[in-house]
Amino acid sequence: MKKIPVAILGATGTVGQRFIQLLADHPWFEIKALTGSSRTAGGRYGDGVNWKLHGDVPEQFADMIVQDTKPNLDVEIVFSALPTQQAKEMEPEFANAGYVVATNAGAYRMPLDIPLMIPEVNPDHVDLIKTQQAERGWKGYIIANTNCSVATVMLPLKIWDDAFGLESIHMVTMQAISGAGYPGVPSLDILGNVIPHIGKEDWKLENEPKKLLGKVASGKLQVADIKISAHANRVAVIDGHMASVSCGFKNLASEADAIAAFKEWQIPAEIQALPSCPDRLMVYRDEADRPQPRLDSNWGEGLAWTVGKVRECGVLDMKFVSLAHNTLRGAASGSVLNAELLVQRGIISR
Amino acid sequence: MKKIPVAILGATGTVGQRFIQLLADHPWFEIKALTGSSRTAGGRYGDGVNWKLHGDVPEQFADMIVQDTKPNLDVEIVFSALPTQQAKEMEPEFANAGYVVATNAGAYRMPLDIPLMIPEVNPDHVDLIKTQQAERGWKGYIIANTNCSVATVMLPLKIWDDAFGLESIHMVTMQAISGAGYPGVPSLDILGNVIPHIGKEDWKLENEPKKLLGKVASGKLQVADIKISAHANRVAVIDGHMASVSCGFKNLASEADAIAAFKEWQIPAEIQALPSCPDRLMVYRDEADRPQPRLDSNWGEGLAWTVGKVRECGVLDMKFVSLAHNTLRGAASGSVLNAELLVQRGIISR
Amino acid sequence: MKKIPVAILGATGTVGQRFIQLLADHPWFEIKALTGSSRTAGGRYGDGVNWKLHGDVPEQFADMIVQDTKPNLDVEIVFSALPTQQAKEMEPEFANAGYVVATNAGAYRMPLDIPLMIPEVNPDHVDLIKTQQAERGWKGYIIANTNCSVATVMLPLKIWDDAFGLESIHMVTMQAISGAGYPGVPSLDILGNVIPHIGKEDWKLENEPKKLLGKVASGKLQVADIKISAHANRVAVIDGHMASVSCGFKNLASEADAIAAFKEWQIPAEIQALPSCPDRLMVYRDEADRPQPRLDSNWGEGLAWTVGKVRECGVLDMKFVSLAHNTLRGAASGSVLNAELLVQRGIISR
Amino acid sequence: MKKIPVAILGATGTVGQRFIQLLADHPWFEIKALTGSSRTAGGRYGDGVNWKLHGDVPEQFADMIVQDTKPNLDVEIVFSALPTQQAKEMEPEFANAGYVVATNAGAYRMPLDIPLMIPEVNPDHVDLIKTQQAERGWKGYIIANTNCSVATVMLPLKIWDDAFGLESIHMVTMQAISGAGYPGVPSLDILGNVIPHIGKEDWKLENEPKKLLGKVASGKLQVADIKISAHANRVAVIDGHMASVSCGFKNLASEADAIAAFKEWQIPAEIQALPSCPDRLMVYRDEADRPQPRLDSNWGEGLAWTVGKVRECGVLDMKFVSLAHNTLRGAASGSVLNAELLVQRGIISR
């Protein structure tokens, strides 16, 4: 079967590097183009990139010539790791020109006709694509994944929402430095320290989940009616965002019920069929001191959610701790899984 | 004026070392005895201690002979840095024998007749001393300070409780490694990591504040009726416990009111008169990314609370971030301030 | 072909855990017994171990009952991760009883009749085994691997010794905390700090290399005549010991020669045949800022040496930086490779 | 007595901030002007600076208007914290215009007529000032302090050079992140890592000491004839550069002699008279595991050298470990002490 040709927009940054790593030997997709800024375009990728992942630049891409980020690429899907401002400008151009834009950027997460997706959480939101194309007159479309901190908590929240009905969510996150890209957080700011502020992360944590937990009917998204409070902190961790989460339920639930909901969750067949889906997507740890970023970020090749410490909350109903790998589950892999779902559902044809 | 002779029980540990540092040149108190375990008793303090503070062991104490922890010391006040189990056994013996036991240990924080005190928060709880002596038949008494994580948040909570009436408190802490003493947290556990569990800290955070915010009338303590949920995390910070706190109020308050309550708080005259009271006890930072442990733990010689990020909470009413130095405000200094208050109120006479 | 039954002595510690991880699916060896201290013996391994590696205890060992460390095990080879004192006492008993003792402990590294081995460096030292058995009257024998800091530098040193003849070596190491085991280094000591002292590590670095670079003739070891100065430092790194090394040569060499010696080194056929031998054992980095522990410790599945920064030394002749994974190359894997070499050479028969 | 008016060039950076902190209440100097880049010039200092030191911007300077860096300031001395390129261009203009330029920048450290000074090490190099003015026709002059890593080791080296005659020096440094300024080292590069490369630091460490240990006669500097090899590493430490140093001597010395040289060194009377001179400038630690950056960087208000671990070197003669605070002893304070020496010697008149 022929592979689908894809491009990576903004391929030299840290998320772009992850895209390359993830797609280098992908069974369905084949990287045919890499784009970069004016600084790197026209040169070898191996020369333009400051490779920050373990190992070396995969050989087959080191010699690829970096192109300008323009909708003249001979591919079907573009994975976007563009900076926000450039994403805002260029992603509609690509969508208009007929490309599928699977974006990790934040520019188009919130419009109601653009699916903000985690395949394990809200696969049916792909139904928004038709609405999007109809309303905007695009031949292609944009499908977005969430902010990395939001990704960290979404599957557990979805499971509890399905089981008990979420009324309120209180989240305090402790987030890894890799979430800020490179050079990102100065070491003088974070070594032996905690920074109680990360850009507009609180707002994203308070709004993106309402969209992901919303219902799509007749091509329209009804955003979920949940009260959310979030406070994002940066900690001296390399990879792995952790969140301390308290939830208020519509339906009463015992601690045993709440734990069982996590433990008994099964990967849907549709998701299992995706090439990037690992054996485990939900890891429940019984130990009082887990999950921990250093020990638990890499379950399921960095795609699993690790949860633990489910117990009654003295203020809301129930609380837990959630952890996921922010640059894998939280970024590049999210876009790849979104694209895989589109193929699996036949929205992109192979 | 003659100084009051005091002893430090458990003087070789990290809290014991802080007591020595704080009391070395105290205007009211004079260290006359140091006690230690069977390993160190009988030897020079300088030989028995593994000094972990900056600088060297103060010269006048290096040659002092460490004594057994028995109530035969020629002092009036004993500052206790004993380990919990030993504190449980020995502190009543000291109190029974007529000593004032100003303890940092956790063994006797919760009995209703033992004042659990932060002078800036609940000075009137000293009225429990008479009840304690009457009920237990002790010539002396025990006065305790809080767990270090609780100390971190108490003055801000007290201020908001006075102003708006607290109904509920949700706290997620990020706590420094020095809170675990020495050797304490293994580096393999915490370097580049977060541990979402600290012994019984959640329970302490959910219960001690109710006692501190309670009212004493006719020698009886009425514990405060507040719903509290707490989750304590250990982070790779040397000194300074930080807490992300959301509060529900009885009386409506605007963000401006909530900030003003912090900014306008004044040090009570009685507290200002204490020798250890610094110029500033409450520091409000307007920056979005403050307080931070590395930048803000040492205000007021490590005794001040630094607060910031007051804003509306999407689930409860209002939230903020609180920070204090855990081994100064949170431990040894707390006991010293308690003893100073007893002198200031004439309960201990000079 | 039948697998050789082996045991792990001291299986619950951090090195013991690595042995289990490495031998869980080994093509030549099969773990038949695990031993532990009086605390863990008699119970399930899964209950006795405080598992510190990524993932969980491999299932097949979680239920194995931990045995006492006594030479009554039904195996041929024992891999020893015993603490020094116990190793000193028990390893000769095992060797005397006919076991092959492949030890990572430090108790028997220095006697001249006990091979101190890194297969890539001094495979011919296996000839000492006969001498050892003859002199000591043992049916079995002990074969040791080096201290983890020594392992870090030995292959590069061997390569330069072969090429240019080493006269003097000056080493300053920056070593990872995992080298101290668990709980090991207290976080209060190492977070944001460097400790310029690691037990007897300087002595080991100044003496073990002379034994490894020595020649064996007629079953006798002639220790190498090289001047060595070493200074070991502990740094806040999880895994990966790094060394800044300056060398004085017998034969003049240009910088280009010195680099070429590293780049052109080939894995000997005998070593390539070992099951644990990775594709790459020597990685040369041209970048000025490499090797780095976080980026380069895992080459060759943690068994490779990464070297770089070869340049003239203003005091001796030539200098470089060497890095290796201290708990893989430096500890458990070293013992496993030693045992594999014994099988490969037919000294242990399958 | 009237204070001498001074300016700080490049006052908003991290070294500029230290200058302000050090000179805020100086008995001899009074800050009359602050200069900055085009971004900050014309605005309030409090608005332009991203204050990174503990506490707040000293009140008296927060409202001062930042000026352009041009030689039209109404002061006698300018303390330069300019970036290298700007220093290269502007410092000669200031010197030519009659200002005393006490610079922390690296642009003019190496010309033989410009004194590269640490007052405790080579105060007589002030004699180069006349040569400098004569040769260059300047009314003012430049006096430089060393790179921060060089400062870390210079007093101990001077003491041994005076006592035993240095022939060779081998240095491996482990340097703090604050040495790179702000934002400086990205946290992704240094957290849990060591970077074996710092710009041109090796070259500076191999060359600046030869100038400082040189002799001035008849206004001419004779650079010292010493072989030096250096390797600079960046480690995850906030403040405090540490160096592992081995030395070859002209005259034999025992370990006892070598230690005594450090312990018996006395602060010269001329240095004691300087306002910034602390009580202790040389701290010798007998413990095997000292000095350590976190415990020993702040002796003598950050101006002292802490040394320890003197012992025989297996390759050269004797080795030791040296530590100093890189942004105090190593940067701003060095310039201030240089200026104080000029006043003390009457070269600048009060």
Side-chain angles (χ1 to χ4, degrees):
Chain A
M1 204 175 302
K2 252 188 72 181
K3 290 191 184 180
I4 299 165
V6 305
I8 298 167
L9 310 184
T12 56
T14 48
V15 174
Q17 293 174 33
R18 280 285 187 199
F19 273 125
I20 286 184
Q21 193 184 51
L22 293 167
L23 296 170
D25 299 303
H26 197 278
W28 294 357
F29 304 134
E30 182 169 11
I31 301 175
K32 288 290 193 186
L34 304 175
T35 83
S37 63
S38 56
R39 186 184 63 80
T40 57
R44 289 175 66 251
Y45 181 73
D47 295 337
V49 73
N50 183 3
W51 190 258
K52 288 286 159 189
L53 302 179
H54 212 280
D56 285 316
V57 179
E59 265 180 61
Q60 66 267 44
F61 302 113
D63 286 331
M64 203 175 259
I65 299 302
V66 178
Q67 301 185 48
D68 283 322
T69 303
K70 291 198 178 146
N72 59 0
L73 308 169
D74 193 16
V75 303
E76 287 186 44
I77 307 172
V78 295
F79 291 96
S80 168
L82 294 172
T84 307
Q85 195 48 44
Q86 201 186 357
K88 196 167 180 178
E89 185 185 335
M90 296 309 301
E91 288 177 2
E93 289 198 26
F94 276 91
N96 188 47
Y99 295 88
V100 176
V101 181
T103 181
N104 180 61
Y108 293 99
R109 285 190 190 131
M110 296 315 290
L112 292 183
D113 63 336
I114 294 183
L116 178 65
M117 300 264 313
I118 296 177
E120 297 90 335
V121 170
N122 60 338
D124 293 343
H125 287 208
V126 295
D127 293 351
L128 296 172
I129 290 170
K130 281 185 192 158
T131 312
Q132 183 188 149
Q133 292 182 308
E135 289 186 357
R136 297 178 188 253
W138 288 346
K139 283 190 286 180
Y141 50 89
I142 297 176
I143 178 169
N145 49 292
T146 68
N147 176 272
C148 58
S149 60
V150 174
T152 304
V153 294
M154 281 314 305
L155 181 58
L157 286 180
K158 170 67 173 173
I159 292 171
W160 274 10
D161 191 35
D162 285 350
F164 315 116
L166 291 178
E167 272 189 345
S168 55
I169 309 170
H170 188 287
M171 295 184 274
V172 176
T173 68
M174 289 156 281
Q175 300 185 212
I177 56 174
S178 61
Y182 185 85
V185 185
S187 54
L188 270 178
D189 283 342
I190 199 65
L191 185 62
N193 206 12
V194 174
I195 306 174
H197 182 71
I198 305 178
K200 301 188 174 171
E201 209 92 340
D202 291 358
W203 187 91
K204 295 171 188 174
L205 280 159
E206 292 179 349
N207 288 279
E208 293 186 14
K210 296 180 194 174
K211 204 177 159 200
L212 280 114
L213 296 177
K215 306 291 176 210
V216 174
S218 314
K220 290 274 181 189
L221 173 67
Q222 180 71 34
V223 168
D225 179 24
I226 300 172
K227 294 199 287 185
I228 307 184
S229 173
H231 176 211
N233 297 280
R234 185 77 71 193
V235 292
V237 163
I238 305 282
D239 291 314
H241 287 354
M242 192 154 85
S244 175
V245 186
S246 289
C247 294
F249 295 154
K250 287 178 189 137
N251 310 308
L252 277 184
S254 68
E255 186 180 300
D257 293 340
I259 293 173
F262 289 148
K263 287 196 169 177
E264 290 167 9
W265 183 81
Q266 300 284 335
I267 307 180
E270 173 184 60
I271 302 300
Q272 272 186 320
L274 306 183
S276 298
C277 180
D279 287 345
R280 301 177 73 176
L281 273 175
M282 168 66 60
V283 176
Y284 190 86
R285 303 293 311 194
D286 289 302
E287 303 93 326
D289 63 352
R290 300 287 279 270
Q292 293 178 18
R294 263 240 327 284
L295 300 180
D296 295 309
S297 292
N298 288 320
W299 292 107
E301 295 161 58
L303 289 178
W305 286 265
T306 305
V307 296
K309 294 187 80 67
V310 169
R311 58 214 192 284
E312 288 188 12
C313 175
V315 171
L316 301 176
D317 288 312
M318 201 66 62
K319 56 188 176 181
F320 71 104
V321 174
S322 188
L323 172 77
H325 193 296
N326 52 295
T327 65
L328 289 172
R329 165 49 67 184
S333 298
S335 297
V336 172
L337 284 163
N338 280 348
E340 290 175 358
L341 181 75
L342 294 173
V343 175
Q344 177 67 15
R345 291 210 166 186
I347 299 167
I348 297 174
S349 57
R350 297 174 70 190
Chain B
M1 204 175 302
K2 252 187 72 182
K3 290 190 184 179
I4 299 166
V6 306
I8 298 166
L9 311 184
T12 56
T14 47
V15 175
Q17 293 174 34
R18 279 286 186 198
F19 273 126
I20 285 183
Q21 193 184 51
L22 294 166
L23 296 171
D25 300 303
H26 196 279
W28 293 357
F29 304 134
E30 183 169 12
I31 301 176
K32 289 291 193 185
L34 304 174
T35 82
S37 64
S38 55
R39 185 184 64 80
T40 56
R44 289 174 67 251
Y45 180 74
D47 295 337
V49 73
N50 183 2
W51 190 256
K52 287 285 159 189
L53 303 179
H54 212 280
D56 286 315
V57 178
E59 265 181 60
Q60 66 268 44
F61 302 114
D63 286 331
M64 203 175 260
I65 299 302
V66 177
Q67 302 184 46
D68 283 322
T69 303
K70 292 198 178 145
N72 58 1
L73 308 169
D74 193 15
V75 302
E76 286 185 46
I77 306 172
V78 295
F79 291 96
S80 168
L82 294 172
T84 307
Q85 195 48 45
Q86 202 187 356
K88 195 167 180 178
E89 184 185 337
M90 296 308 302
E91 288 178 2
E93 289 196 28
F94 276 91
N96 189 46
Y99 295 89
V100 175
V101 181
T103 182
N104 181 60
Y108 293 98
R109 285 189 190 133
M110 296 314 290
L112 293 183
D113 62 335
I114 294 183
L116 177 65
M117 300 263 314
I118 295 176
E120 296 89 337
V121 171
N122 59 339
D124 294 344
H125 287 209
V126 296
D127 294 351
L128 296 172
I129 290 170
K130 279 184 193 158
T131 312
Q132 183 188 147
Q133 292 181 309
E135 288 185 357
R136 297 177 188 252
W138 288 346
K139 282 190 287 180
Y141 50 89
I142 297 175
I143 178 170
N145 49 293
T146 69
N147 176 274
C148 58
S149 60
V150 174
T152 304
V153 294
M154 281 314 305
L155 181 58
L157 287 180
K158 170 67 174 172
I159 292 171
W160 274 8
D161 191 36
D162 285 350
F164 314 115
L166 291 177
E167 272 189 344
S168 56
I169 309 169
H170 188 287
M171 295 184 273
V172 175
T173 69
M174 288 156 281
Q175 301 186 210
I177 55 174
S178 61
Y182 185 86
V185 184
S187 54
L188 270 178
D189 283 342
I190 198 65
L191 186 62
N193 205 13
V194 173
I195 306 174
H197 181 71
I198 306 179
K200 301 188 174 171
E201 210 92 339
D202 291 359
W203 187 91
K204 294 172 189 175
L205 280 159
E206 292 179 349
N207 287 279
E208 293 186 14
K210 296 180 193 175
K211 206 178 157 198
L212 280 115
L213 296 177
K215 305 291 177 211
V216 173
S218 315
K220 291 274 181 189
L221 174 67
Q222 181 72 32
V223 169
D225 178 25
I226 301 172
K227 294 199 288 184
I228 308 184
S229 173
H231 176 211
N233 297 280
R234 185 77 71 194
V235 292
V237 164
I238 306 282
D239 291 314
H241 287 355
M242 191 154 85
S244 175
V245 187
S246 288
C247 294
F249 295 154
K250 288 179 189 135
N251 310 309
L252 277 185
S254 69
E255 187 180 299
D257 294 338
I259 293 173
F262 288 148
K263 287 196 169 178
E264 291 167 8
W265 182 81
Q266 300 285 335
I267 307 180
E270 173 184 60
I271 302 300
Q272 272 186 321
L274 306 183
S276 298
C277 181
D279 285 347
R280 302 177 73 177
L281 274 175
M282 168 66 59
V283 177
Y284 191 87
R285 304 292 310 193
D286 288 303
E287 302 94 324
D289 63 353
R290 300 287 280 268
Q292 294 178 19
R294 263 241 325 284
L295 299 180
D296 295 309
S297 292
N298 288 321
W299 293 106
E301 295 160 58
L303 290 178
W305 285 264
T306 305
V307 296
K309 294 187 80 68
V310 169
R311 59 213 191 285
E312 287 189 12
C313 175
V315 170
L316 301 177
D317 288 310
M318 201 65 62
K319 56 189 176 180
F320 70 105
V321 174
S322 188
L323 172 77
H325 193 296
N326 52 296
T327 64
L328 289 172
R329 165 49 66 184
S333 299
S335 296
V336 172
L337 284 163
N338 280 348
E340 290 176 358
L341 181 74
L342 294 174
V343 174
Q344 178 67 16
R345 291 212 166 185
I347 298 168
I348 296 173
S349 58
R350 297 174 72 189
Chain C
M1 204 175 300
K2 252 187 69 181
K3 289 191 183 179
I4 298 165
V6 306
I8 298 166
L9 310 185
T12 56
T14 48
V15 174
Q17 292 174 33
R18 280 286 186 198
F19 273 125
I20 285 182
Q21 193 184 51
L22 293 167
L23 296 170
D25 299 302
H26 197 278
W28 293 358
F29 305 135
E30 183 170 10
I31 301 176
K32 289 291 192 184
L34 305 173
T35 82
S37 64
S38 56
R39 184 184 64 80
T40 57
R44 288 175 68 251
Y45 181 72
D47 295 337
V49 72
N50 183 1
W51 190 256
K52 287 287 159 189
L53 302 179
H54 213 280
D56 286 315
V57 177
E59 265 181 61
Q60 66 267 45
F61 303 114
D63 286 331
M64 204 175 258
I65 299 302
V66 178
Q67 302 185 48
D68 283 322
T69 304
K70 292 199 176 144
N72 59 1
L73 308 169
D74 193 17
V75 302
E76 287 185 46
I77 307 172
V78 295
F79 291 97
S80 168
L82 295 172
T84 308
Q85 195 48 44
Q86 202 187 356
K88 195 167 180 179
E89 185 185 335
M90 296 307 301
E91 289 177 2
E93 288 196 28
F94 276 90
N96 189 45
Y99 295 89
V100 176
V101 181
T103 182
N104 181 59
Y108 293 100
R109 285 189 190 132
M110 297 314 290
L112 293 182
D113 62 336
I114 293 182
L116 178 65
M117 300 264 313
I118 295 176
E120 296 89 338
V121 171
N122 59 339
D124 294 343
H125 287 207
V126 295
D127 293 352
L128 295 173
I129 290 170
K130 280 184 191 158
T131 312
Q132 183 189 146
Q133 292 181 308
E135 288 186 357
R136 297 179 187 250
W138 288 347
K139 282 190 286 179
Y141 51 88
I142 297 174
I143 179 169
N145 50 293
T146 69
N147 177 272
C148 58
S149 60
V150 173
T152 304
V153 294
M154 281 314 305
L155 181 58
L157 287 179
K158 170 67 174 174
I159 292 171
W160 275 8
D161 191 36
D162 284 351
F164 315 116
L166 290 178
E167 272 188 345
S168 54
I169 309 170
H170 188 288
M171 295 184 274
V172 176
T173 69
M174 288 155 281
Q175 301 185 211
I177 56 174
S178 61
Y182 185 85
V185 185
S187 54
L188 271 177
D189 283 343
I190 199 64
L191 186 62
N193 206 14
V194 173
I195 307 174
H197 181 71
I198 305 178
K200 300 187 174 172
E201 210 93 339
D202 290 358
W203 188 91
K204 294 172 188 173
L205 280 159
E206 292 180 348
N207 287 278
E208 292 186 14
K210 295 179 193 173
K211 205 178 157 198
L212 279 115
L213 297 176
K215 306 292 177 207
V216 173
S218 315
K220 292 275 181 188
L221 173 67
Q222 180 72 33
V223 168
D225 179 25
I226 300 173
K227 295 199 288 185
I228 308 184
S229 173
H231 175 211
N233 297 280
R234 185 77 70 192
V235 293
V237 164
I238 306 283
D239 290 314
H241 287 355
M242 192 155 85
S244 175
V245 186
S246 288
C247 295
F249 294 155
K250 287 177 188 136
N251 311 308
L252 277 184
S254 69
E255 188 180 298
D257 294 339
I259 292 174
F262 288 147
K263 287 196 169 178
E264 291 167 8
W265 182 82
Q266 300 285 335
I267 307 180
E270 174 184 57
I271 302 300
Q272 273 186 318
L274 306 183
S276 298
C277 181
D279 285 347
R280 300 178 72 177
L281 274 174
M282 168 66 59
V283 177
Y284 191 86
R285 304 293 311 196
D286 288 303
E287 302 94 325
D289 63 353
R290 298 287 281 270
Q292 294 178 19
R294 263 242 324 286
L295 299 180
D296 295 308
S297 291
N298 289 321
W299 291 107
E301 295 159 59
L303 290 178
W305 286 264
T306 305
V307 297
K309 294 187 80 69
V310 168
R311 57 215 193 283
E312 288 188 12
C313 175
V315 170
L316 301 176
D317 288 311
M318 201 64 64
K319 57 188 174 180
F320 71 105
V321 173
S322 189
L323 172 77
H325 193 296
N326 52 295
T327 67
L328 290 172
R329 165 48 67 186
S333 297
S335 296
V336 172
L337 283 163
N338 281 347
E340 290 176 359
L341 181 74
L342 294 173
V343 174
Q344 178 67 15
R345 290 210 167 186
I347 298 168
I348 296 173
S349 58
R350 298 174 71 189
Chain D
M1 203 174 302
K2 253 187 69 183
K3 291 193 183 179
I4 299 165
V6 306
I8 298 167
L9 310 184
T12 56
T14 48
V15 174
Q17 293 175 32
R18 280 285 187 198
F19 273 125
I20 285 182
Q21 193 185 52
L22 293 167
L23 296 171
D25 299 303
H26 197 278
W28 293 358
F29 305 135
E30 183 169 10
I31 301 176
K32 289 289 193 186
L34 304 174
T35 82
S37 64
S38 56
R39 185 185 62 81
T40 57
R44 290 175 66 251
Y45 180 74
D47 295 337
V49 73
N50 183 2
W51 190 256
K52 287 286 160 189
L53 302 179
H54 212 280
D56 286 315
V57 178
E59 266 181 62
Q60 67 267 45
F61 302 113
D63 286 330
M64 203 175 260
I65 299 302
V66 177
Q67 302 185 48
D68 283 321
T69 304
K70 292 200 178 143
N72 59 1
L73 308 170
D74 194 16
V75 302
E76 288 185 44
I77 307 173
V78 295
F79 291 96
S80 168
L82 294 172
T84 307
Q85 196 48 43
Q86 202 186 358
K88 196 167 179 178
E89 184 186 335
M90 296 308 301
E91 288 177 2
E93 288 197 27
F94 276 90
N96 189 46
Y99 295 89
V100 176
V101 181
T103 182
N104 180 61
Y108 294 98
R109 285 191 189 131
M110 297 314 290
L112 292 182
D113 62 336
I114 293 183
L116 178 65
M117 299 264 314
I118 296 176
E120 297 89 337
V121 170
N122 60 338
D124 294 344
H125 288 207
V126 296
D127 293 352
L128 296 172
I129 290 170
K130 281 184 191 158
T131 311
Q132 182 188 148
Q133 292 181 309
E135 288 185 357
R136 297 178 187 253
W138 289 346
K139 281 190 288 180
Y141 51 88
I142 296 176
I143 179 170
N145 48 293
T146 69
N147 175 272
C148 58
S149 61
V150 174
T152 304
V153 294
M154 281 313 305
L155 181 58
L157 287 179
K158 170 67 173 175
I159 292 171
W160 275 8
D161 191 35
D162 285 350
F164 315 116
L166 291 178
E167 273 190 344
S168 55
I169 309 171
H170 188 287
M171 295 183 274
V172 175
T173 69
M174 287 156 283
Q175 301 185 211
I177 56 174
S178 61
Y182 186 86
V185 185
S187 54
L188 270 178
D189 283 342
I190 199 65
L191 186 61
N193 206 14
V194 174
I195 307 173
H197 182 71
I198 305 178
K200 301 188 174 170
E201 209 94 340
D202 291 358
W203 188 90
K204 294 172 188 173
L205 279 159
E206 293 179 348
N207 288 278
E208 292 185 15
K210 295 179 193 174
K211 205 177 159 199
L212 280 115
L213 297 176
K215 306 292 176 208
V216 173
S218 316
K220 291 275 182 189
L221 173 66
Q222 180 72 32
V223 169
D225 179 24
I226 301 173
K227 295 200 288 186
I228 307 184
S229 174
H231 176 212
N233 297 280
R234 186 76 71 193
V235 292
V237 163
I238 306 282
D239 290 314
H241 286 355
M242 191 155 84
S244 175
V245 187
S246 289
C247 295
F249 295 154
K250 287 177 188 137
N251 310 309
L252 278 184
S254 69
E255 187 181 298
D257 294 339
I259 293 174
F262 288 148
K263 287 196 169 178
E264 291 167 9
W265 182 82
Q266 300 285 334
I267 307 178
E270 174 184 57
I271 302 300
Q272 272 186 321
L274 306 182
S276 298
C277 181
D279 286 346
R280 301 176 73 177
L281 273 175
M282 168 65 61
V283 176
Y284 191 86
R285 303 293 312 194
D286 289 303
E287 301 94 325
D289 63 353
R290 300 286 281 269
Q292 293 177 19
R294 264 240 327 283
L295 300 180
D296 295 309
S297 291
N298 289 320
W299 292 107
E301 294 159 60
L303 290 178
W305 286 265
T306 305
V307 296
K309 295 187 79 68
V310 168
R311 57 215 194 284
E312 288 188 12
C313 175
V315 170
L316 301 176
D317 288 311
M318 201 66 62
K319 58 188 174 181
F320 71 104
V321 174
S322 188
L323 172 77
H325 193 296
N326 52 295
T327 66
L328 290 172
R329 164 50 67 184
S333 298
S335 297
V336 172
L337 283 163
N338 280 347
E340 290 176 358
L341 181 75
L342 295 173
V343 175
Q344 178 66 15
R345 290 209 167 185
I347 298 168
I348 296 173
S349 58
R350 298 175 70 190

